[in-house]
Amino acid sequence: MSLATTQSIADIRARNKQLIEEVLKVYPEKTAKRRAKHLNVHQAGKSDCGVKSNIKSIPGVMTIRGCAYAGSKGVVWGPIKDMVHISHGPVGCGQYSWGSRRNYYVGTTGIDSFVTLQFTSDFQEKDIVFGGDKKLVKVLDEIQELFPLNNGITIQSECPIGLIGDDIEAVSRTKSKEYGGKTIVPVRCEGFRGVSQSLGHHIANDAVRDWIFDKLEPNGTPKFEPTPYDVAIIGDYNIGGDAWSSRILLEEMGLRVIAQWSGDGSLAELEATPKAKLNLLHCYRSMNYISRHMEEKFGIPWCEYNFFGPSKIAESLRKIAAYFDDKIKEGAERVIEKYQPLVNAVVAKYRPRLEGRTVMLYVGGLRPRHVIGAYEDLGMEVVGTGYEFGHNDDYQRTAQNYVKDSTLIYDDVNGYEFERFVEKLQPDLIGSGIKEKYVFQKMGVPFRQMHSWDYSGPYHGYDGFAIFARDMDMAVNSPVWKKTKAPWKETPRAKLLAAE
Amino acid sequence: MAQSAEHVLDHLELFRGPEYQQMLDKKKMFEDPREPAEVERIKEWTKTPEYREKNFAREALTINPAKACQPLGAVFASVGFEGTLPFVHGSQGCVAYYRSHLSRHFKEPCSCVSSSMTEDAAVFGGLNNMIDGLANSYNMYKPKMIAVSTTCMAEVIGDDLNAFIKTSKEKGSVPAEFDVPFAHTPAFVGSHVTGYDNALKGILEHFWDGKAGTVPKLERRPNQAINIIGGFDGYAVGNLREIRRILELMGIQHTILADNSEVFDTPTDGEFRMYDGGTTLEDAANAVHAKATISMQEWCTEKTLQFVAGHGQDVVSFNYPIGISATDDLLVALSRIGGKDIPEQLARERGRLVDAIADSSAHIHGKKFAVYGDPDLCYGVASFLLELGAEPTHVLSTNGNKAWQTKMAALLAGSPFGQSCQVYPGRDLWHLRSLLFTEPVDFLIGNTYGKYLERDTGTPLIRIGFPVFDRHHHHRSPVWGYQGGLNVLVKILDKIFDEIDKKTNLLGKTDYSFDIIR
């Protein structure tokens, strides 16, 4: 059991403040000054978490962040299943991001769906020296010939593209014309742009606006008859099937989901979204841009929601229903009621096993705040959280709706800081990524990957909550954590505390 | 509702039920899907010789390559030195990728930093990122050495590592005498095996040739030791330990260079060891005095061995030695160079491997195999298959070159079991898909990505290679040496027997062959 639960808020605040001071001591002066702005102890009632964010990472500190290419190809575009996404540049980027995000989809891979294929122009030295546009032309031709059922192509730029002055937009226009108006989307998501994945999301959103929405025929005939209940799921990447376990609830309450962005999504769904009556935004960070654009251009309102854990799910279902008539409002109540026995059974089974346990999070996108409610539904307490690539609006949402007083906040945390914080706070569970997983497990701390759901999932929706609860229980209460110390050696925690 | 607290269904089962299936059916109307008949027609077309011809005519597009980029290999080599922090100069996302990739394979942490260059650095160069980055890394992670390599961004803008590191030291980022070897590792040249080679050469050059002009070059005083280089290897943990065991049995004084067998296999006991084991910096320097350097993987060490030979050492290279003859050759070479006899224990291990093959070869004899992976691994696996009486049929290496092709062809020509085999350098797994459809084989050997080929073509996959993400812990067991050969034999046999059982388990239909003894 962690220390936090036995202390008062004031004690915890003082301890966390002191911890930040201690951690900053390791840095050269200039770095300490910069990092100090990203670490804080949350104070109840404040409008944000009191940290700076979306600022360049400091060289050499082992930031956990990725790049704009990861934000565009890896997050936003990659899951669109019927388009071919070219990792344009050297071989590595596409290789390392091949199939690792678990964006589930239904389709005949390699024939009409392409998510788990790695298409790359595999740049060689001569492409850098002489430019890669000619190669890109040929790549597009070869895709057309070998994958005739693709519905479109995106070009995901890797670092060299922007540095060698290639004109991928010109190539896209020319080839699109040649192929009878085929959708070909150039994306300027070179990895050196911006400070993290975040700018890649924005660039990818803008590419949808410029190369898909702006090319739609304004009075084109819809492919289906619109209804007053048409909505789109925005910012759900269907990791382990998340979008599916969300969609089923929306449809049960009487709405009709006409598009998924972008997990298990298709070009036709992107194109149909301007017909939606309401855009439902799950991952605000990665898709608020296109939601705002659709609001301005097409007058579609958008509504943030949270499908982690029964409290937030019920709150969200009601919030969504409020945009519609009584039929939908009743539908929302019906859905909440239908799943209540499942929720009760899950909580009855797992809450006693997890009550009072503390959690530290460090993730990207929406999860540093969105999953807090799900933990609380199980009686767990989040004592520290931070965003890999959040902006201030994320920290505002976190402060106003999610974290408790005196929670430790760490923006763009690095390996060193995260380890020190964990050593001191001694949480019962950490939720973060693959790069962190084994570090903390070595330290004997139970861990769940909260990007990939540790190869489990879905975690969204009521069905997902049961899986979430099961997984947190199996992490925290695995018998292996009682075996980390050889019986003939002293217990490490006691020693650590005594030394302090 | 299928979900329940008593029996929680996750993605493996949840979506199979009628509720989700109906939902997904309804979703199709918004997807504007292709006609099922058309999908079927194209699917069948991709299996034809005609498609294969078009597929092999590709000049620009790469699909599902079996290779990664240089800095991955540089990071892999660098963590094999004592207390060494790999520092990759360029965009930061790359480092996140290398760390994730290696962690997913080894199920271990992988520590590595980036100089986090962004747009301003693209314009003005990354000198300041190097100056700040080295200072931060040095203070935070207390390394004994920082090994620098580059992403393609830094290479395209032409950052000069030698000058940058010199300037950083002048600015006090790290002490003047602190070891900061470096290697330029452009992602648009070669592959991860090239990066391994460049990084290792960079580190040896640093210690042997005067630390970038800051100290006198080492004068070689030959001794009796042998240096061993493992090369880029997903089985490094098991293999390097096995090689050390063999050398200790033989009583040969040795240094394993870039020995990452500890750092990729640390215990869970309450302590995170960011650094563990590794070639000591002293040993790395003293390796110049060795009488010879042996590389276990020729195509991972071309430049390094040339450099080592230039310092007067004998150099010998192998090609991922799996099996009897490859291990025989290795031991004979070790015995000759090290001046030690091969102990009886190893002869007995050899005999056990021969014994195991004799017991089981009837099940492997004449079976056709496709093999893909790094050039040396392909060579090692293919040569073992020939020993087993199996028939390698397609051997493909995305990062294999003409010289590799020639050497592979010679190996195959030397065995009656290699006569029907074709070698494919520079090809990818989409090419291999066509090969498996048009010239089917019984089994496929390769890394995790081969599971897509297994699904599409029905060819059972035996996972040997890098990365293996979806099976656990195999990297802990060796595949080199007689002991390693036995492990590979068992991997192959297990798959063969599983397949036989799968094909003979229909009750009352095929189960007359569902034998209890095989």
Side-chain angles (χ1 to χ4, degrees):
Chain A
M1 186 71 58
S2 76
L3 301 172
T5 50
T6 61
Q7 293 174 314
S8 73
I9 294 283
D11 287 346
I12 295 168
R13 176 184 311 285
R15 179 203 59 189
N16 286 353
K17 290 241 180 220
Q18 192 195 345
L19 180 51
I20 291 171
E21 291 305 313
E22 279 170 25
V23 159
L24 290 171
K25 279 184 195 152
V26 75
Y27 292 113
E29 199 184 328
K30 181 168 128 191
T31 309
K33 226 168 162 181
R34 287 173 66 181
R35 278 307 300 160
K37 297 176 185 155
H38 297 264
L39 307 174
N40 198 22
V41 184
H42 175 62
Q43 183 140 20
K46 296 270 180 174
S47 66
D48 63 23
C49 299
V51 292
K52 294 272 184 205
S53 56
N54 195 32
I55 293 175
K56 271 197 278 189
S57 298
I58 298 171
V61 300
M62 211 177 313
T63 174
I64 290 161
R65 284 173 166 176
C67 64
Y69 163 90
S72 176
K73 187 267 184 178
V75 174
V76 174
W77 279 107
I80 300 290
K81 62 183 175 182
D82 58 346
M83 297 176 82
V84 168
H85 309 289
I86 306 163
S87 293
H88 188 39
V91 70
C93 316
Q95 202 70 2
Y96 308 126
S97 57
W98 181 8
S100 55
R101 245 177 86 80
R102 304 184 66 234
N103 307 111
Y104 283 8
Y105 62 99
V106 177
T108 308
T109 302
I111 309 301
D112 68 356
S113 304
F114 310 96
V115 178
T116 48
L117 268 71
Q118 207 282 75
F119 291 87
T120 174
S121 46
D122 189 11
F123 263 33
Q124 301 300 302
E125 197 149 23
K126 63 176 191 301
D127 304 313
I128 302 288
V129 176
F130 299 111
D133 285 341
K134 274 190 189 150
K135 188 171 200 178
L136 180 59
V137 167
K138 211 175 246 183
V139 163
L140 293 168
D141 289 340
E142 289 174 359
I143 288 171
Q144 278 302 93
E145 176 149 34
L146 292 169
F147 303 94
L149 300 187
N150 83 77
N151 281 337
I153 299 171
T154 74
I155 299 152
Q156 306 288 328
S157 301
E158 300 172 7
C159 288
I161 305 306
L163 299 170
I164 61 177
D166 276 10
D167 191 350
I168 58 171
E169 288 81 7
V171 172
S172 301
R173 271 186 218 105
T174 310
K175 296 308 284 187
S176 173
K177 212 172 282 170
E178 193 185 317
Y179 289 121
K182 185 183 185 67
T183 301
I184 300 179
V185 182
V187 191
R188 285 288 180 175
C189 55
E190 288 90 342
F192 60 81
R193 294 193 196 279
V195 304
S196 67
Q197 291 93 314
S198 184
L199 188 62
H201 305 142
H202 198 154
I203 291 168
N205 278 222
D206 288 354
V208 176
R209 179 193 65 199
D210 297 345
W211 296 84
I212 293 185
F213 284 171
D214 285 1
K215 292 186 187 309
L216 289 177
E217 284 178 39
N219 299 313
T221 42
K223 295 202 170 78
F224 50 83
E225 219 30 66
T227 76
Y229 304 118
D230 289 354
V231 297
I233 294 178
I234 311 278
D236 189 324
Y237 302 102
N238 205 32
I239 291 165
D242 279 340
W244 294 335
S245 57
S246 302
R247 184 186 186 106
I248 202 161
L249 301 180
L250 297 170
E251 297 196 337
E252 279 180 38
M253 71 192 268
L255 298 172
R256 187 171 81 158
V257 179
I258 63 166
Q260 282 179 208
W261 293 53
S262 54
D264 194 35
S266 56
L267 177 61
E269 289 168 73
L270 298 185
E271 291 175 340
T273 308
K275 307 277 183 225
K277 301 297 182 296
L278 178 67
N279 279 330
L280 302 176
L281 182 55
H282 207 241
C283 181
Y284 170 86
R285 181 71 276 130
S286 58
M287 285 197 177
N288 77 85
Y289 318 100
I290 200 70
S291 305
R292 291 174 196 279
H293 173 73
M294 283 191 266
E295 183 177 40
E296 282 165 27
K297 178 132 187 210
F298 309 112
I300 307 172
W302 50 279
C303 163
E304 287 179 66
Y305 69 109
N306 178 349
F307 269 7
F308 288 102
S311 302
K312 290 293 173 187
I313 296 172
E315 189 184 311
S316 295
L317 289 174
R318 290 183 175 122
K319 183 176 168 190
I320 293 165
Y323 285 82
F324 297 92
D325 58 17
D326 285 350
K327 184 186 145 207
I328 301 298
K329 288 182 186 126
E330 284 156 21
E333 295 308 323
R334 197 174 56 242
V335 170
I336 294 165
E337 200 179 342
K338 174 185 167 187
Y339 286 94
Q340 198 56 48
L342 172 68
V343 169
N344 293 345
V346 169
V347 170
K349 180 172 176 184
Y350 292 107
R351 187 164 177 140
R353 304 165 62 82
L354 295 167
E355 185 86 48
R357 304 300 185 100
T358 58
V359 187
M360 287 176 76
L361 297 171
Y362 181 70
V363 224
L366 71 165
R367 296 176 245 211
R369 62 175 178 275
H370 264 47
V371 297
I372 290 176
Y375 284 112
E376 289 175 350
D377 286 333
L378 293 168
M380 301 175 79
E381 187 194 357
V382 173
V383 295
T385 192
Y387 290 80
E388 217 176 294
F389 46 80
H391 298 206
N392 197 44
D393 50 7
D394 290 301
Y395 284 103
Q396 285 169 350
R397 285 163 168 75
T398 308
Q400 292 163 18
N401 301 307
Y402 289 97
V403 287
K404 287 185 173 165
D405 201 10
S406 84
T407 302
L408 185 64
I409 306 289
Y410 30 82
D411 178 71
D412 184 20
V413 82
N414 53 57
Y416 177 87
E417 291 170 359
F418 203 6
E419 285 153 37
R420 295 294 87 75
F421 291 155
V422 167
E423 264 174 21
K424 195 75 168 201
L425 265 58
Q426 297 191 22
D428 297 301
L429 177 70
I430 298 173
S432 191
I434 182 70
K435 303 189 291 298
E436 294 71 60
K437 179 180 173 79
Y438 303 106
V439 169
F440 294 118
Q441 289 190 175
K442 301 280 178 196
M443 290 164 70
V445 186
F447 189 100
R448 285 298 296 188
Q449 288 184 67
M450 294 301 280
H451 298 260
S452 66
W453 305 150
D454 237 315
Y455 323 120
S456 175
Y459 281 175
H460 292 178
Y462 290 109
D463 286 344
F465 176 63
I467 305 164
F468 175 84
R470 177 200 70 179
D471 289 355
M472 297 312 137
D473 173 50
M474 74 163 80
V476 170
N477 293 311
S478 166
V480 72
W481 304 120
K482 295 200 172 80
K483 306 283 184 199
T484 56
K485 211 68 200 174
W488 58 90
K489 293 196 175 177
E490 308 162 71
T491 58
R493 284 195 170 183
K495 193 175 164 189
L496 185 74
L497 289 176
E500 285 161 5
Chain B
M1 192 196 330
Q3 190 64 289
S4 75
E6 298 78 54
H7 183 58
V8 175
L9 304 178
D10 61 21
H11 61 93
L12 295 172
E13 297 166 282
L14 181 65
F15 304 125
R16 309 259 175 114
E19 290 159 324
Y20 279 99
Q21 285 302 308
Q22 282 160 17
M23 181 190 85
L24 291 172
D25 272 350
K26 274 200 325 212
K27 179 176 183 294
K28 284 212 181 81
M29 70 173 282
F30 303 104
E31 294 176 355
D32 195 16
R34 301 286 181 164
E35 286 299 320
E38 182 69 351
V39 173
E40 196 54 30
R41 188 181 69 80
I42 297 296
K43 191 171 97 184
E44 291 308 312
W45 173 62
T46 66
K47 301 175 182 175
T48 61
E50 181 204 343
Y51 187 86
R52 170 178 164 167
E53 201 175 308
K54 284 179 191 294
N55 192 9
F56 272 76
R58 266 191 281 142
E59 290 175 353
L61 173 64
T62 298
I63 310 158
N64 296 356
K67 67 170 182 182
C69 68
Q70 278 211 51
L72 181 80
V75 170
F76 180 88
S78 301
V79 297
F81 289 86
E82 175 198 16
T84 297
L85 183 64
F87 181 111
V88 189
H89 182 55
S91 300
Q92 71 192 14
C94 312
V95 167
Y97 278 145
Y98 316 141
R99 295 180 67 207
S100 303
H101 206 65
L102 291 165
S103 283
R104 286 179 179 132
H105 173 82
F106 288 107
K107 315 296 179 201
E108 292 288 323
C110 176
S111 300
C112 174
V113 297
S114 163
S115 65
S116 295
M117 285 166 66
T118 52
E119 276 162 308
D120 52 344
V123 177
F124 300 111
L127 176 60
N128 287 331
N129 298 68
M130 178 73 78
I131 293 170
D132 290 348
L134 287 178
N136 288 326
S137 299
Y138 179 78
N139 281 291
M140 295 171 74
Y141 297 110
K142 313 274 186 277
K144 290 202 164 127
M145 173 161 93
I146 296 176
V148 179
S149 56
T150 47
T151 77
C152 54
M153 181 213 183
E155 288 299 321
V156 171
I157 65 173
D159 278 3
D160 179 349
L161 292 183
N162 190 21
F164 280 19
I165 293 166
K166 195 160 168 271
T167 308
S168 300
K169 286 190 168 183
E170 284 163 9
K171 301 250 181 197
S173 297
V174 295
E177 67 283 2
F178 185 76
D179 292 309
V180 188
F182 63 90
H184 288 276
T185 50
F188 45 81
V189 175
S191 72
H192 56 289
V193 303
T194 322
Y196 180 97
D197 194 10
N198 282 330
L200 182 54
K201 175 174 170 274
I203 290 168
L204 296 182
E205 200 168 2
H206 170 82
F207 285 108
W208 296 3
D209 284 357
K211 303 191 173 186
T214 59
V215 296
K217 292 186 181 188
L218 294 180
E219 196 183 317
R220 180 164 177 262
R221 297 182 310 277
N223 59 25
Q224 290 305 305
I226 295 178
N227 300 322
I228 302 286
I229 302 173
F232 191 99
D233 179 18
Y235 299 87
V237 171
N239 278 339
L240 293 178
R241 287 178 183 163
E242 179 64 6
I243 291 299
R244 179 181 294 111
R245 187 183 70 90
I246 289 170
L247 288 162
E248 282 170 1
L249 274 174
M250 293 180 75
I252 294 172
Q253 203 191 328
H254 61 272
T255 301
I256 296 179
L257 296 169
D259 178 3
N260 49 25
S261 62
E262 292 301 310
V263 78
F264 283 133
D265 194 22
T266 61
T268 284
D269 61 357
E271 182 190 348
F272 162 52
R273 296 160 177 83
M274 183 167 163
Y275 312 107
D276 203 25
T279 314
T280 66
L281 306 189
E282 196 185 352
D283 284 351
N286 286 333
V288 71
H289 307 305
K291 69 191 301 190
T293 293
I294 293 179
S295 165
M296 307 299 283
Q297 298 198 63
E298 177 182 358
W299 285 289
C300 287
T301 49
E302 287 173 290
K303 287 181 201 162
T304 302
L305 285 194
Q306 204 177 5
F307 169 80
V308 171
H311 282 69
Q313 291 188 25
D314 283 344
V315 294
V316 182
S317 57
F318 292 88
N319 302 102
Y320 211 83
I322 300 178
I324 303 166
S325 296
T327 307
D328 289 350
D329 291 347
L330 173 68
L331 295 190
V332 168
L334 287 174
S335 170
R336 174 177 56 80
I337 298 165
K340 304 276 185 178
D341 291 338
I342 300 170
E344 187 52 27
Q345 186 177 331
L346 289 172
R348 286 189 70 93
E349 286 179 17
R350 183 185 191 279
R352 288 184 200 123
L353 177 57
V354 175
D355 180 73
I357 293 171
D359 294 347
S360 313
S361 78
H363 293 282
I364 306 180
H365 194 100
K367 294 275 190 299
K368 288 178 182 294
F369 283 77
V371 180
Y372 72 88
D374 286 344
D376 291 287
L377 180 127
C378 283
Y379 191 98
V381 170
S383 68
F384 187 43
L385 290 174
L386 295 174
E387 276 183 348
L388 297 172
E391 294 178 16
T393 304
H394 314 295
V395 179
L396 180 146
S397 181
T398 310
N399 47 354
N401 58 18
K402 283 250 162 66
W404 170 78
Q405 184 181 22
T406 308
K407 191 162 182 176
M408 279 299 316
L411 171 77
L412 295 159
S415 163
F417 299 98
Q419 300 304 310
S420 64
C421 186
Q422 292 294 313
V423 181
Y424 300 96
R427 299 297 186 171
D428 56 44
L429 301 189
W430 198 256
H431 292 117
L432 187 52
R433 186 177 184 272
S434 280
L435 293 174
L436 294 176
F437 277 127
T438 53
E439 294 176 69
V441 297
D442 299 303
F443 294 94
L444 170 65
I445 294 183
N447 62 16
T448 279
Y449 298 114
K451 78 191 293 176
Y452 297 133
L453 294 169
E454 182 177 38
R455 175 196 59 195
D456 290 2
T457 69
T459 318
L461 170 67
I462 298 162
R463 286 169 178 76
I464 300 174
F466 176 92
V468 174
F469 291 153
D470 63 340
R471 295 293 183 273
H472 294 191
H473 307 307
H474 293 276
H475 66 275
R476 298 174 199 265
S477 306
V479 299
W480 295 344
Y482 301 123
Q483 195 59 50
L486 192 60
N487 292 338
V488 174
L489 176 69
V490 173
K491 270 184 222 274
I492 294 172
L493 284 169
D494 279 350
K495 181 60 91 172
I496 291 176
F497 290 131
D498 282 349
E499 287 299 313
I500 295 174
D501 284 346
K502 257 198 254 170
K503 284 179 187 148
T504 58
N505 65 2
L506 282 181
L507 189 63
K509 297 274 185 201
T510 60
D511 64 346
Y512 44 81
S513 298
F514 197 58
D515 283 318
I516 204 73
I517 307 164
R518 298 205 194 270

